[in-house]
Amino acid sequence: MHSSRLKDWAPFSFLIACAISTLLLLSSSSCSSTTRSVVVPPQVEGAHYVGNQKCEDCHAEITRQFPGSVHSRFFKEDESYHGVSGCESCHGAGSKHIQAGGGKNVFIHNPGKDPQPCLECHQEKHAEFSLPQHHPVLEGQMNCVDCHDPHGRDIFKQPGGLGLARQDQQCAQCHREQTRSFVFVHEGMQDGCTTCHQPHGSIHDKMLTQRDSNLCLRCHSQMQFDPSQVLVGKVDHSAFLSMGTCWTAGCHTAVHGSMVNPRLLY
Amino acid sequence: MITNLTHTRDWYRPAILGMALLINTAWTQDVDTSQLPAPAERTIIFKTDVLPILEGHCFQCHGDERPKGGLNLRTRETALEGGDYGEDIIPGDSEQSPLIHYVAFLEEDMEMPPIGKAERLSSEQVAILRAWIDQGLAWEEQDDQSSFQYTFAPTLGYVSVAGNEGQFREHYWQDDGFTGGISEFSLSDRLEDGTRVNLKSRSIFETEDHEIELSLSKPKLGFIELGYDQFRRFYRDTGGYYEGLGQDPISLNRDLYLDTGRAWIDLGLTLPNWPTIVLGYEHQFRDGEKSMLHWGPIFPANPAAPGKGIFPGTKHIDEETHIIKLDIEHSWRGWDIEESFRGEFTNFSTTREMPDFSSAGATLPDTASRVTEDYDHFSGANTIRAEKALKPWWMLSAGYLYSDLSADAGFNLETFLPNNIGVAPFQGDTSREIVLDRDSHVINVNTLLGPFNGLNFFAGFQNDWTSQSGDGDIFVFGAPAGLGSNLDSRTTEENFGLRYTKIRNTVLYLDTKFQQRDIGQRENQFIDDGFADATDFMRNTDATMDHKEYRTGLTYSPWRWASINTWYRRRFRQNDYDHRLDTDLGTFAPAGNGFSAFVRSRDTETDDFNIKLTLKPWSRVRTSLAYRLTATDFRASTDSVDVFGTVFPAASLYSGNYDAHIYTLSTTFQPKERLYLSGTASISDLRTTSGVTDGTLLVPYEGQIYTFMGTANYILSKTLDWNTTYSFSKADFGQSDTGLNLPIGVDYDRHGIVTGLTKKLSDTSQVRLQYGFFTYDEPSVAGINDYTAHGLFATFRRRFQ
């Protein structure tokens, strides 16, 4: 941890202390109940929890890779945790689905069509989706699984089990114009789209992480021995910075790459 | 013949199948039917006598979804078809029906339900099944959700906006004025032969939100799925704002929107014992005009008469993509093999119009640039993957991907006078021919081991070779020029993961990811302008990137109602550059202007910490509290550099820093049986700085974001519900360096509340009436984006069954 930021740990130290105290307090006064759980699975009327093992009978191709997935970090095999972790925490209680012989959306929820089960736990993402600029997930035009694989190894990549997923593949399936080949490509594309964009939601147009030249200067190192001089490349940009953001002030407008200009001016 | 193979080792499958065939043909000689319970001596009613037995003991494996052994007991017709190896039910003759032999446990290793999978049928239940078969296998229509039903929901809304209508549309993805259509029309049915029919559609006019999906699927044959959907993305038509100009922000007075959609059809073949084959076609499109951030420059250096270029920028897009896809899946000797091909034809044309400069007080730019681009490509990608559970504790997968892209591009830049469109545009760069190629080979191997006493281990390796090139003949301001580039990269990635669950109520995990990338990059642009390479550009850079990521955490949940989840992640990325050739004799720069120029290495370090406590101390209260800290430092090392005679020594530089503290509190509360409340509040404290320490040049980008989302539902009576949702967000990133720079930071307050009643008219119909109030206030652009809106919405929903 960076020394300048040690003071930043104070708030969450307090938070940890509060959390542990609350937990201890509650543990001494409450009793366990199957009607109370920290995860609220989608409701399937009349169904009860059956556990992952039952799901494996038909969905082995998913359950056998699940121990390698990000969501397995929350999975407990203990029967008392059925519905709190594992398949049914996202898909709902499975007994009626099994009784009906399975089938797509037959007495089972598919978070691929409805993001609500995902947002039950990922509340901070729900908050981001409510910002002015966002992907239309809450509006029902997109779903979490358009970009994420909830069962696979790397949740930030395309579905496909344990492998063969590539950086920014999920963005490229819609944003072809930005991810196409260029004669002169912006090196920043090698670092991935999320270096500059906040995909769930942002207060900034184009879902940018920052809105001014600070975004660019993080990587385009400036040599400022003389405070009045800011070198980007070997060009003093000090007079340009005041004109606006690097890509809005009429200069580097081809931010993803250019077909004709090596300095990405257009 | 019923064969449930899920508990049989895959490599025994052919042998078992052979045995099953023999058993089927020799059944009557091998089975002692005298041990069968006698048929029940009464009239059997399917719905009350038989269906509960099938639901409780059979449908789990022998339903519509991947029926084991090919036997689907969901309909009379599919039941009579039998499984993969012959008939299982002989109407009128239960004694000779193999199904009865299995459920009566007369044959070893063929017991149904398989031992351990479900409870064995009692003698009474076998007797009922016998009587049912002997009485002719009566099969009334099943009264369940999968029989015929459809839903119809017309909707109508009106939104009145005072202020910036485009900003409202952009925020809520919804048109103002009247909107309406069908919010839901769905139909589902299962025909007697087991064919499932599903139709789902939605069509809202003005907002241009349309969707229709139709699927037909028949077990053991195949399916057809086709559909069309589109939605509209709205944009405001205002650009930036600079207070120093003393002028109101400018609006284009145009409706900007982009329609995005697709139409597709998939044809699938799901014959028993055959590979599953899916052939599909998809057409994607984007068409419309959107706003840009290209507002042009501001010139605040002369406060008495600041120059400006600020004006809204737009981009017209017409993009079409045709995709052909073929997917084949098959299981062979325990290996699950997937073969997938995608052929993609994309063409698009875009036109960007951006202001260059305009006089103070002018309502149009004095000059503007128009960039027109055309692009066509064919991209083919083929993937083959194989996966197998070699042992119950050992899973292995591997894959290979090859992709190739060939593209042609066109480019044209011109400068024009918006105030005098009669003047011919000034021609900038324009292309004669630009071609691009890109091909990739990716291999991947993964293994998953365990659990060994609660320990799972994962390892993955992936190698990606990508080569891309671009060549072109263009004119640079009238002078012929050649340009070219090559980018070769090899990326190796290693993943390792551990998960340990043996500690009571606890999951511990550790993940690491290592990535190494070697890049060779060459770029050139030769301009034949008669000035002896005066404006030529050449660059040759080798780069290596080393990325390491470590993450460890735990989930501790001592009871179902309490959970703590915490993790820490550290990421380190180092990019080293060997800038072997860099010639740039352009107007503004000495040699050595292409990235990385004099930068020798670039380091990025990120610490990421997250903790979340979730409690449900009482059945009516659930709350979670989360905190996340992200801290990133950016640093660079440079060579000494000579800029027009001024020598800067080599140095290790601080390039920037990003800090984020994010607090989230979420609570659901049910104070009364009829009242449900939920709310999520989040505060983000963000700060980004760069190495520029002179506040007259650039100030840090910092501020807070506040969000709150709340919902209240109250059941007023058996037929009347009240529902309200409230959403709030606020940001204070405003910058105060006006006079020195163009402030970019955003200050805003946004509120939206929708409240209404839902009246249940009958068991199958309901009507909902809602009122919405929305406000937005953005003082950082002098209020030009502000709006206040009122909306009324009505939806009627009827379900037919």
Side-chain angles (χ1 to χ4, degrees):
Chain A
M1 180 53 57
H2 317 283
S3 58
S4 63
R5 268 180 255 137
L6 285 177
K7 66 180 190 307
D8 295 336
W9 289 77
F12 77 81
S13 304
F14 174 74
L15 194 74
I16 293 171
C18 288
I20 293 173
S21 304
T22 307
L23 196 62
L24 291 173
L25 183 68
L26 289 166
S27 66
S28 63
S29 61
S30 298
C31 58
S32 173
S33 164
T34 55
T35 62
R36 291 187 285 134
S37 62
V38 293
V39 173
V40 180
Q43 296 298 304
V44 179
E45 201 172 334
H48 61 268
Y49 299 114
V50 295
N52 269 22
Q53 193 59 45
K54 291 281 186 186
C55 308
E56 188 171 353
D57 288 342
C58 292
H59 304 285
E61 78 283 3
I62 293 172
T63 56
R64 71 185 180 194
Q65 64 172 270
F66 184 74
S69 81
V70 172
H71 279 130
S72 73
R73 295 167 181 165
F74 309 97
F75 176 60
K76 298 167 196 66
E77 282 146 15
D78 190 325
E79 191 175 328
S80 65
Y81 286 91
H82 287 171
V84 179
S85 66
C87 309
E88 292 167 300
S89 61
C90 300
H91 295 281
S95 66
K96 287 191 74 173
H97 174 70
I98 292 171
Q99 207 171 48
K104 198 180 282 184
N105 300 322
V106 177
F107 296 118
I108 203 76
H109 279 268
N110 180 5
K113 295 289 184 187
D114 173 13
Q116 195 53 43
C118 308
L119 299 177
E120 282 287 339
C121 292
H122 298 281
Q123 291 117 345
E124 72 286 0
K125 300 303 172 200
H126 196 178
E128 289 181 31
F129 281 127
S130 72
L131 294 174
Q133 304 294 330
H134 55 270
H135 274 115
V137 171
L138 300 183
E139 287 77 8
Q141 308 295 356
M142 289 182 69
N143 285 293
C144 304
V145 297
D146 289 338
C147 302
H148 299 294
D149 176 11
H151 307 119
R153 170 66 189 166
D154 192 338
I155 200 162
F156 294 106
K157 292 179 178 175
Q158 281 281 55
L162 295 174
L164 279 176
R166 306 173 74 200
Q167 178 176 285
D168 298 335
Q169 191 179 11
Q170 67 276 52
C171 307
Q173 64 187 349
C174 293
H175 299 282
R176 291 183 177 83
E177 184 193 342
Q178 288 75 22
T179 55
R180 64 183 147 144
S181 281
F182 292 97
V183 175
F184 302 108
V185 68
H186 182 194
E187 281 82 1
M189 298 290 281
Q190 302 275 353
D191 291 346
C193 302
T194 55
T195 303
C196 299
H197 296 282
Q198 210 162 339
H200 298 103
S202 166
I203 61 171
H204 306 118
D205 287 335
K206 316 305 174 193
M207 287 186 266
L208 289 166
T209 53
Q210 281 93 35
R211 180 58 188 84
D212 70 357
S213 297
N214 283 296
L215 175 63
C216 307
L217 292 174
R218 298 185 313 187
C219 297
H220 290 273
S221 310
Q222 61 290 332
M223 190 172 275
Q224 200 186 13
F225 295 99
D226 174 354
S228 66
Q229 279 199 323
V230 179
L231 292 184
V232 179
K234 290 184 181 177
V235 177
D236 180 7
H237 279 66
S238 55
F240 304 143
L241 288 177
S242 61
M243 295 182 179
T245 312
C246 307
W247 69 95
T248 71
C251 298
H252 303 283
T253 67
V255 288
H256 300 101
S258 173
M259 289 297 176
V260 296
N261 190 278
R263 298 175 203 92
L264 311 187
L265 296 179
Y266 37 78
Chain B
M1 172 64 66
I2 298 176
T3 52
N4 189 323
L5 299 174
T6 52
H7 6 263
T8 308
R9 297 284 167 81
D10 288 338
W11 47 85
Y12 295 153
R13 186 173 289 192
I16 292 293
L17 295 180
M19 284 172 57
L21 280 168
L22 288 173
I23 291 167
N24 192 40
T25 55
W27 181 254
T28 52
Q29 288 82 32
D30 295 344
V31 175
D32 180 6
T33 57
S34 65
Q35 297 180 34
L36 286 173
E41 294 179 354
R42 61 183 172 87
T43 301
I44 300 299
I45 301 171
F46 174 80
K47 187 174 175 182
T48 54
D49 293 326
V50 179
L51 188 56
I53 298 174
L54 298 179
E55 286 180 340
H57 301 269
C58 308
F59 287 165
Q60 178 177 346
C61 297
H62 300 286
D64 289 333
E65 187 83 357
R66 285 173 271 197
K68 301 292 189 298
L71 178 63
N72 182 349
L73 293 173
R74 290 293 299 177
T75 69
R76 186 176 195 273
E77 183 173 281
T78 57
L80 287 173
E81 282 179 9
D84 296 341
Y85 314 104
E87 61 184 11
D88 293 290
I89 299 173
I90 303 169
D93 189 356
S94 64
E95 186 176 340
Q96 299 302 320
S97 295
L99 175 78
I100 296 298
H101 304 156
Y102 303 147
V103 298
F105 278 38
L106 293 189
E107 187 200 349
E108 195 177 351
D109 295 333
M110 297 304 291
E111 299 89 350
M112 290 292 154
I115 297 167
K117 283 288 173 186
E119 193 178 344
R120 179 180 175 176
L121 269 61
S122 64
S123 297
E124 291 74 20
Q125 289 172 315
V126 175
I128 288 172
L129 291 182
R130 287 201 63 185
W132 173 54
I133 292 172
D134 290 341
Q135 293 169 17
L137 208 72
W139 208 304
E140 301 95 359
E141 183 68 27
Q142 291 174 31
D143 183 19
D144 64 18
Q145 58 80 44
S146 56
S147 59
F148 176 77
Q149 60 180 26
Y150 77 89
T151 303
F152 177 66
T155 187
L156 183 67
Y158 179 77
V159 177
S160 167
V161 180
N164 192 325
E165 297 162 347
Q167 185 69 89
F168 171 82
R169 292 192 289 259
E170 181 176 315
H171 281 171
Y172 289 94
W173 298 69
Q174 177 174 330
D175 206 352
D176 56 321
F178 278 105
T179 60
I182 309 299
S183 64
E184 182 185 359
F185 176 75
S186 61
L187 181 152
S188 65
D189 195 10
R190 192 180 57 224
L191 308 181
E192 281 190 10
D193 64 355
T195 301
R196 278 183 179 272
V197 182
N198 284 293
L199 172 68
K200 189 178 79 168
S201 69
R202 178 181 71 230
S203 191
I204 310 296
F205 295 98
E206 296 303 323
T207 295
E208 300 306 327
D209 174 6
H210 307 293
E211 178 187 32
I212 181 166
E213 285 183 33
L214 172 66
S215 68
L216 298 166
S217 61
K218 184 172 183 182
K220 296 196 288 187
L221 179 61
F223 62 84
I224 301 173
E225 294 178 352
L226 65 159
Y228 173 85
D229 63 50
Q230 79 158 71
F231 62 86
R232 176 166 287 182
R233 169 76 161 118
F234 297 95
Y235 298 88
R236 68 175 186 270
D237 63 344
T238 52
Y241 170 71
Y242 179 55
E243 184 183 350
L245 295 172
Q247 180 182 348
D248 287 342
I250 294 171
S251 166
L252 291 172
N253 293 318
R254 275 155 52 189
D255 290 343
L256 301 179
Y257 55 81
L258 187 66
D259 289 331
T260 300
R262 65 182 186 130
W264 78 96
I265 181 168
D266 287 338
L267 307 172
L269 200 62
T270 56
L271 295 173
N273 301 319
W274 274 64
T276 299
I277 302 171
V278 181
L279 180 64
Y281 165 75
E282 185 168 327
H283 174 221
Q284 299 179 358
F285 66 89
R286 294 199 305 157
D287 187 18
E289 198 173 17
K290 70 179 193 178
S291 65
M292 302 292 290
L293 290 176
H294 299 158
W295 298 338
I298 199 83
F299 304 101
N302 181 3
K308 69 154 192 169
I310 285 194
F311 195 83
T314 62
K315 181 181 190 175
H316 181 268
I317 299 170
D318 182 4
E319 177 180 323
E320 288 192 85
T321 300
H322 303 269
I323 302 170
I324 297 169
K325 48 192 176 184
L326 174 66
D327 296 318
I328 302 172
E329 292 181 26
H330 190 49
S331 293
W332 179 74
R333 297 195 173 192
W335 285 93
D336 289 334
I337 300 169
E338 297 175 11
E339 154 67 29
S340 180
F341 170 78
R342 293 285 183 280
E344 183 178 301
F345 302 85
T346 292
N347 67 81
F348 63 76
S349 63
T350 62
T351 302
R352 285 186 280 150
E353 290 193 355
M354 305 170 287
D356 293 329
F357 186 81
S358 60
S359 304
T363 55
L364 284 175
D366 297 344
T367 64
S369 294
R370 181 184 294 125
V371 175
T372 305
E373 291 192 74
D374 299 299
Y375 182 82
D376 293 276
H377 85 215
F378 170 74
S379 168
N382 196 80
T383 307
I384 184 163
R385 293 182 67 242
E387 186 177 294
K388 183 176 183 178
L390 296 170
K391 303 282 184 187
W393 46 266
W394 182 17
M395 180 182 160
L396 186 69
S397 77
Y400 169 70
L401 162 73
Y402 172 71
S403 72
D404 183 73
L405 179 147
S406 301
D408 298 312
F411 182 92
N412 187 64
L413 167 67
E414 57 188 19
T415 301
F416 64 103
L417 308 179
N419 279 311
N420 195 348
I421 56 174
V423 176
F426 174 70
Q427 186 64 57
D429 291 10
T430 187
S431 66
R432 285 192 295 188
E433 182 184 33
I434 297 173
V435 294
L436 304 114
D437 284 294
R438 180 169 66 191
D439 63 275
S440 298
H441 299 265
V442 185
I443 60 167
N444 180 293
V445 180
N446 305 277
T447 188
L448 182 64
L449 301 169
F452 305 112
N453 202 22
L455 185 69
N456 282 288
F457 173 73
F458 168 84
F461 169 84
Q462 183 161 301
N463 218 335
D464 183 333
W465 294 270
T466 295
S467 174
Q468 64 183 62
S469 64
D471 295 286
D473 291 324
I474 66 171
F475 291 100
V476 177
F477 293 98
L483 46 84
S485 69
N486 284 94
L487 178 67
D488 297 317
S489 70
R490 180 177 63 83
T491 306
T492 305
E493 185 174 313
E494 305 93 25
N495 287 287
F496 302 98
L498 283 171
R499 187 175 72 99
Y500 185 63
T501 59
K502 210 60 182 175
I503 302 174
R504 186 173 168 76
N505 304 320
T506 305
V507 180
L508 286 170
Y509 55 89
L510 171 68
D511 293 315
T512 62
K513 180 160 81 175
F514 305 107
Q515 188 184 80
Q516 307 85 40
R517 181 175 295 176
D518 296 319
I519 295 176
Q521 188 170 18
R522 289 188 291 114
E523 294 177 341
N524 60 66
Q525 183 184 61
F526 301 111
I527 304 176
D528 186 11
D529 54 5
F531 289 98
D533 299 336
T535 53
D536 286 353
F537 174 89
M538 289 183 289
R539 170 194 174 190
N540 187 348
T541 305
D542 287 342
T544 60
M545 300 176 182
D546 190 16
H547 179 201
K548 299 184 178 75
E549 179 176 321
Y550 308 90
R551 176 168 167 153
T552 184
L554 68 87
T555 304
Y556 176 59
S557 181
W559 308 278
R560 284 174 64 91
W561 53 268
S563 170
I564 285 183
N565 164 35
T566 183
W567 53 261
Y568 169 73
R569 177 169 61 186
R570 182 169 176 79
R571 286 185 287 187
F572 179 79
R573 182 192 294 269
Q574 178 171 338
N575 296 358
D576 292 307
Y577 302 97
D578 181 6
H579 211 46
R580 302 164 70 173
L581 175 66
D582 190 343
T583 302
D584 184 352
L585 300 180
T587 307
F588 301 109
N593 189 37
F595 193 85
S596 62
F598 49 87
V599 176
R600 282 294 154 262
S601 71
R602 193 160 61 81
D603 299 340
T604 307
E605 288 181 62
T606 300
D607 291 301
D608 211 350
F609 174 80
N610 187 83
I611 184 166
K612 182 176 182 180
L613 168 69
T614 307
L615 294 171
K616 193 169 184 183
W618 300 281
S619 60
R620 295 185 174 189
V621 177
R622 183 174 70 112
T623 188
S624 67
L625 185 62
Y627 169 74
R628 180 168 181 176
L629 165 68
T630 303
T632 305
D633 280 345
F634 303 89
R635 301 193 66 83
S637 299
T638 64
D639 279 345
S640 65
V641 57
D642 182 344
V643 181
F644 295 124
T646 303
V647 177
F648 297 91
S652 175
L653 300 172
Y654 163 75
S655 302
N657 168 252
Y658 169 74
D659 279 349
H661 302 267
I662 302 171
Y663 307 85
T664 307
L665 172 66
S666 181
T667 299
T668 60
F669 179 40
Q670 195 174 5
K672 299 170 66 177
E673 197 65 41
R674 294 175 165 191
L675 180 61
Y676 175 84
L677 305 169
S678 72
T680 297
S682 176
I683 301 173
S684 303
D685 184 6
L686 312 171
R687 177 181 166 89
T688 303
T689 62
S690 70
V692 177
T693 55
D694 185 344
T696 64
L697 299 176
L698 188 66
V699 294
Y701 197 74
E702 59 186 334
Q704 289 81 37
I705 302 171
Y706 306 88
T707 59
F708 175 77
M709 296 157 296
T711 300
N713 296 318
Y714 188 67
I715 302 171
L716 296 168
S717 70
K718 285 184 178 177
T719 60
L720 192 63
D721 293 354
W722 169 73
N723 173 274
T724 295
T725 59
Y726 171 65
S727 173
F728 161 74
S729 68
K730 171 187 172 67
D732 57 359
F733 281 74
Q735 295 167 321
S736 57
D737 49 342
T738 302
L740 300 170
N741 300 295
L742 173 63
I744 294 288
V746 179
D747 274 345
Y748 79 87
D749 280 83
R750 181 177 174 229
H751 302 263
I753 184 166
V754 177
T755 185
L757 296 169
T758 303
K759 174 72 175 174
K760 190 176 176 183
L761 303 174
S762 70
D763 286 344
T764 57
S765 63
Q766 66 178 39
V767 64
R768 171 179 286 182
L769 294 172
Q770 291 175 302
Y771 164 74
F773 176 70
F774 314 91
T775 67
Y776 183 70
D777 179 25
E778 188 179 343
S780 49
V781 289
I784 192 173
N785 294 332
D786 293 1
Y787 60 78
T788 301
H790 302 266
L792 285 172
F793 312 96
T795 303
F796 172 76
R797 191 171 188 273
R798 175 79 192 271
R799 181 165 50 88
F800 299 86
Q801 197 161 16

